[in-house]
Amino acid sequence: MKRAIALSVVIAALALISLPVLGATTLEVVWMGWPKNLVDAQIEGFRKAYPDIPVDIQLVPFNQLFQTLEVRLASGHAPDVFIVDGPLTASYATRGYLLPLDDVFTETELAAWFPSSVAACRWNGRLYAAPYATSSVGLYFNKTIFRKYGVALPSENPGERLTWEQAAELARKLTIDENHDGQPDTWGLILEQSDRPYQILPLAESRGARALSADGAVSEGYITSPAFIEAATFYSKLFNEWKVSPKGLLEAPVAREYFGCGKAAMMLGAEWNISRLAAFKDWEFGLAPHPYFAGGRAVTPTGGWNVGIGSRTANRDAAVRFLKFITGRDASIAWTKLFGNAPARRDVYAALPDVFKNPMWQVLLHEMDTTASPRPVTPGYLQYESILKDAFNAIQFGADPASTLESAARQIDRDLAKYR
Amino acid sequence: MFREPRAAIVFLAPALILLGLFRVLPAAVSVGESLMGLATPPTAASEAIGASINAGVGAAAGGPTRAFVGFSNYRHLFTSDPVFWGSARVTLAYSALASPVTVAVALGLAFLLKGSDRRRSLLRTACFLPSAISMSVVAVVWGLMLDPYYGLVNSLLRAIGLPPQPFLNSPRQALACLIAIAVWRNSGYWMMFFLAGMQGIPREAYEAAALDGASKSKQAWHITIPLLARTVSFVLVSNTAFNFLTFAPVFILTKGGPIRSTNVLVYESYKSAFIGLDMGRATAISSLVLAAVLLLSLAELRLTRPKHEY
């Protein structure tokens, strides 16, 4: 009995000692699960600048990030600072999860970012986040494979953009089953995010379709429009009729490995691959502008990460300092060098001329200026994206595009009804 | 009932408290939540949220207001939710195949591997090992092996002259693959229960049968199997409940696809809760799963009630 009492005392004492560590003074940050050593380097920078602010950084892998945040936000245990996917900003803001930041940044400070990036942080006229990164997508191609099979290289000049029809033709030529075992050894074309609306929506937009009603509340008639279904049918043919893309290649890092190891001739991929592909020494890569449908217009994905502060934070001042540090010029320059995201700050491009004079970056910077189209803004983005992603996934595996999109539209509109 | 009721309560208390806190209470909360839904028109709600942010209350309002809606979540599931019905069919098919096959394989292994020689005990360990590996690891490894383009299994098929298969990429094969993985992982575990059950059968029964000239297979059929009924019943009930609640392999390998062919109820409930943000529908589904598991368990217990006691 005495031992039990002694043990309880020890446990209680340990609990008391550990309380201050977990207390209100530690800044809790939930962040995207980018390579830990890279994120740690960023956080070290903050710790050096603000040694008096303890930071607890929690990295969550991309596939779990939105659900994890959703659970924490809904349960009222929001982190002080968290990374916010561009199109989810409105969703969090509508539900009161983000602290308005109108008084945190001056107009001059806001002018450091691209106007489109700042616009993605606003909802109903108020600023709810600060931009961290933007993005763009182009058609990477493996020059070595093209040359090996005697196929002319696509042009890297935005004025000579391939149509999707031409790109599919190239893909058919370069889907090669060398050992005749029934499985291609080289795939013609892979999509880095093969079922995510981020990468698929611009196909439909290039055909002239809209992804969602202007008020962000209705998908029926938009994702079920003839133009959208035509684009989805083209997408389906890549996997099911022409068989130039492998089915079920759903993880972006795996897609990059396929392409980097020479298992695919072309990859529709985002800007962060420019620095990653440098690691694959056996091949020579190029980047052509994003294809478009003949008779349609050129449209490229864009949008990126923002950083927000939990509306119920008890560490407002420290959270603002962290937010300003991490989205500031120096940290952005460091992050661009480390990871290779397209920064949302204009001054980073001027500060790193060596990085951005790369011809691949030049193609994407041109796209960001001229053809970039952000994802639709709606408070129900998480549901919209998830249901549409399931629909693209089903179409990839052979489901009928028209009926799959119709059923997705019914589901989306039922979920969006709660915000109307 | 107890000679010393106080002692019994004291000994049972820790388990009962934990059971109540971590099993019964969440289940009750979930059933309660399934009777809730969105009430006020969201336009008014978003204004209210705006006001609460200004007042510094923030996420307290956290979205449109919830209110008691009775059985309307269930009504919706039953009358106008084809995704739910599809999911229910997948779950039933999965359990209806995975459970009996696992029990049969486990029983077969137990017959083959009972006994105490070295070779058998090594094989027993080998069969038991898969169940000691985390389901997530199992799922990832099988995912690599079943890769339709570069996986080990297709290489083997090609090596013996068979055509490669799409496996998890095919709406027709994906569920069968998940069942095979479950059988592979769980049979060794349940085999241990059968082996334990076999050890509990009195030796005299076999000796008497041997004296009467019964062959080994006759002994198995007329003694071992009838006297194992209690174990079979336990394994079948536990395994059915276990299969009904399958989540990890679906979450890791198929995400319910291709084309919803592996979209089991628990995964659909998870998606509804954490992606659709529809707690009412999610908890209604999980409450129905709970009810189904209870009913099935009762039915199985009744059907497999042992005829012989020893």
Side-chain angles (χ1 to χ4, degrees):
Chain A
M1 195 64 187
K2 266 187 188 162
R3 272 177 65 176
I5 291 171
L7 201 65
S8 323
V9 170
V10 170
I11 290 171
L14 282 174
L16 280 175
I17 292 166
S18 58
L19 271 180
V21 180
L22 305 166
T25 49
T26 300
L27 193 69
E28 207 187 340
V29 180
V30 169
W31 209 248
M32 164 66 191
W34 282 304
K36 184 175 172 350
N37 54 335
L38 305 189
V39 179
D40 283 347
Q42 289 286 85
I43 302 306
E44 267 324 298
F46 177 78
R47 289 199 176 113
K48 272 198 194 111
Y50 297 97
D52 54 326
I53 305 178
V55 188
D56 170 23
I57 183 127
Q58 300 161 16
L59 301 186
V60 185
F62 180 63
N63 281 337
Q64 274 85 51
L65 179 65
F66 306 126
Q67 286 91 315
T68 306
L69 276 173
E70 206 54 59
V71 174
R72 295 211 37 186
L73 294 170
S75 69
H77 294 89
D80 296 304
V81 180
F82 52 101
I83 195 146
V84 178
D85 195 18
L88 285 174
T89 311
S91 164
Y92 296 157
T94 330
R95 290 180 286 153
Y97 294 151
L98 288 169
L99 190 77
L101 302 174
D102 301 281
D103 55 345
V104 171
F105 292 100
T106 63
E107 284 303 316
T108 333
E109 283 175 304
L110 288 178
W113 288 294
F114 291 115
S116 62
S117 296
V118 177
C121 295
R122 289 192 195 278
W123 174 248
N124 274 349
R126 304 192 73 171
L127 186 75
Y128 282 101
Y132 186 62
T134 180
S135 64
S136 186
V137 168
L139 185 69
Y140 291 84
F141 57 96
N142 186 322
K143 292 182 179 174
T144 321
I145 293 180
F146 271 75
R147 288 195 192 111
K148 181 177 170 194
Y149 295 103
V151 178
L153 298 177
S155 167
E156 295 173 62
N157 174 358
E160 298 163 21
R161 189 185 293 279
L162 290 177
T163 62
W164 271 120
E165 292 78 1
Q166 291 168 328
E169 185 54 40
L170 285 179
R172 281 200 291 271
K173 277 187 195 154
L174 289 164
T175 299
I176 290 155
D177 178 8
E178 200 119 279
N179 55 7
H180 305 290
D181 65 349
Q183 300 280 23
D185 303 291
T186 308
W187 294 92
L189 169 69
I190 57 177
L191 312 180
E192 187 187 14
Q193 302 189 6
S194 78
D195 60 359
R196 299 195 84 88
Y198 169 80
Q199 218 169 59
I200 317 298
L201 284 178
L203 265 76
E205 289 173 283
S206 170
R207 267 258 183 249
R210 278 189 64 112
L212 199 63
S213 65
D215 61 357
V218 182
S219 69
E220 183 94 52
Y222 295 90
I223 65 167
T224 54
S225 68
F228 203 107
I229 292 170
E230 278 170 39
T233 307
F234 173 85
Y235 168 81
S236 168
K237 285 180 177 173
L238 291 175
F239 299 95
N240 297 295
E241 190 179 318
W242 306 320
K243 298 189 166 94
V244 295
S245 289
K247 289 183 192 184
L249 183 62
L250 305 173
E251 305 290 337
V254 185
R256 186 188 309 127
E257 290 295 317
Y258 261 59
F259 182 66
C261 296
K263 292 220 172 290
M266 296 182 281
M267 173 175 80
L268 197 66
E271 83 287 349
W272 49 77
N273 292 296
I274 295 177
S275 55
R276 299 301 149 76
L277 287 174
F280 298 94
K281 305 278 184 216
D282 298 345
W283 315 88
E284 198 187 334
F285 301 107
L287 179 60
H290 196 291
Y292 74 111
F293 281 111
R297 64 193 176 101
V299 181
T300 55
T302 191
W305 298 101
N306 301 328
V307 187
I309 296 179
S311 55
R312 292 205 284 184
T313 178
N315 294 322
R316 188 180 183 281
D317 290 345
V320 167
R321 280 199 190 126
F322 184 87
L323 182 83
K324 286 199 160 188
F325 174 88
I326 206 83
T327 61
R329 182 174 181 275
D330 293 345
S332 295
I333 290 174
W335 184 243
T336 302
K337 283 191 199 158
L338 285 169
F339 188 78
N341 264 142
R345 291 183 71 96
R346 297 196 259 213
D347 44 9
V348 179
Y349 293 89
L352 297 172
D354 286 351
V355 172
F356 294 106
K357 77 178 182 207
N358 178 327
M360 293 195 185
W361 267 112
Q362 287 300 314
V363 171
L364 293 181
L365 291 177
H366 176 81
E367 300 285 32
M368 284 158 65
D369 268 345
T370 54
T371 61
S373 163
R375 286 159 284 179
V377 173
T378 163
Y381 188 76
L382 188 64
Q383 296 96 309
Y384 170 83
E385 185 193 47
S386 151
I387 294 167
L388 202 54
K389 178 173 170 285
D390 281 356
F392 287 138
N393 187 288
I395 294 170
Q396 174 175 138
F397 283 112
D400 170 56
S403 58
T404 306
L405 287 168
E406 271 155 29
S407 131
R410 276 196 299 276
Q411 250 185 300
I412 290 172
D413 290 354
R414 181 177 115 84
D415 273 348
L416 291 186
K418 56 175 166 271
Y419 301 105
R420 220 170 286 148
Chain B
M1 197 161 123
F2 298 111
R3 252 171 298 170
E4 288 205 48
R6 269 185 51 182
I9 289 168
V10 169
F11 278 117
L12 284 175
L16 285 179
I17 289 170
L18 292 176
L19 191 74
L21 213 56
F22 294 109
R23 298 276 163 166
V24 181
L25 184 68
V29 168
S30 159
V31 172
E33 187 71 25
S34 70
L35 305 175
M36 308 290 282
L38 305 174
T40 43
T43 36
S46 6
E47 276 164 29
I49 294 163
S52 68
I53 291 170
N54 294 337
V57 182
T65 320
R66 288 160 62 254
F68 182 76
V69 294
F71 287 98
S72 81
N73 285 319
Y74 293 93
R75 206 160 34 241
H76 179 84
L77 285 183
F78 283 118
T79 56
S80 46
D81 195 337
V83 176
F84 165 75
W85 284 110
S87 193
R89 272 194 294 276
V90 169
T91 312
L92 279 178
Y94 180 84
S95 293
L97 286 167
S99 305
V101 174
T102 307
V103 171
V105 172
L107 195 55
L109 285 174
F111 271 114
L112 286 174
L113 301 179
K114 70 174 179 193
S116 52
D117 58 295
R118 228 181 126 82
R119 205 169 46 127
R120 284 207 172 99
S121 55
L122 262 177
L123 282 172
R124 269 204 302 271
T125 314
C127 290
F128 182 74
L129 268 182
S131 63
I133 309 169
S134 137
M135 192 65 215
S136 324
V137 178
V138 167
V140 171
V141 172
W142 273 101
L144 290 173
M145 295 206 297
L146 291 174
D147 183 286
Y149 306 112
Y150 305 106
L152 179 69
V153 181
N154 264 341
S155 304
L156 292 175
L157 285 182
R158 274 193 287 259
I160 55 171
L162 290 172
Q165 297 299 317
F167 297 122
L168 297 166
N169 270 3
S170 154
R172 274 197 288 273
Q173 297 182 4
L175 193 66
C177 291
L178 292 187
I179 291 171
I181 295 172
V183 171
W184 174 82
R185 177 167 185 268
N186 300 328
S187 297
Y189 179 74
W190 297 117
M191 168 194 79
M192 287 301 186
F193 286 78
F194 287 127
L195 285 169
M198 286 173 179
Q199 287 191 340
I201 298 173
R203 264 174 182 286
E204 296 82 353
Y206 293 106
E207 281 162 10
L211 280 178
D212 291 342
S215 67
K216 282 274 175 203
S217 57
K218 281 227 156 109
Q219 289 179 21
W221 188 250
H222 292 288
I223 300 174
T224 316
I225 290 184
L227 291 186
L228 264 185
R230 205 189 282 270
T231 317
V232 171
S233 166
F234 167 77
V235 169
L236 197 63
V237 170
S238 318
N239 195 35
T240 307
F242 190 79
N243 285 327
F244 239 81
L245 302 177
T246 288
F247 176 79
V250 176
F251 179 75
I252 294 167
L253 286 175
T254 64
K255 300 268 186 287
I259 322 183
R260 298 212 183 108
S261 60
T262 59
N263 192 29
V264 293
L265 282 170
V266 178
Y267 185 68
E268 180 59 29
S269 164
Y270 158 82
K271 275 205 302 192
S272 207
F274 300 120
I275 299 167
L277 311 183
D278 190 344
M279 276 300 167
R281 180 173 181 269
T283 48
I285 293 177
S286 57
S287 304
L288 288 173
V289 171
L290 182 71
V293 168
L294 272 177
L295 284 176
L296 269 175
S297 306
L298 282 178
E300 283 176 342
L301 281 175
R302 190 159 270 265
L303 285 172
T304 55
R305 185 181 287 169
K307 290 192 202 90
H308 311 274
E309 294 289 341
Y310 60 92

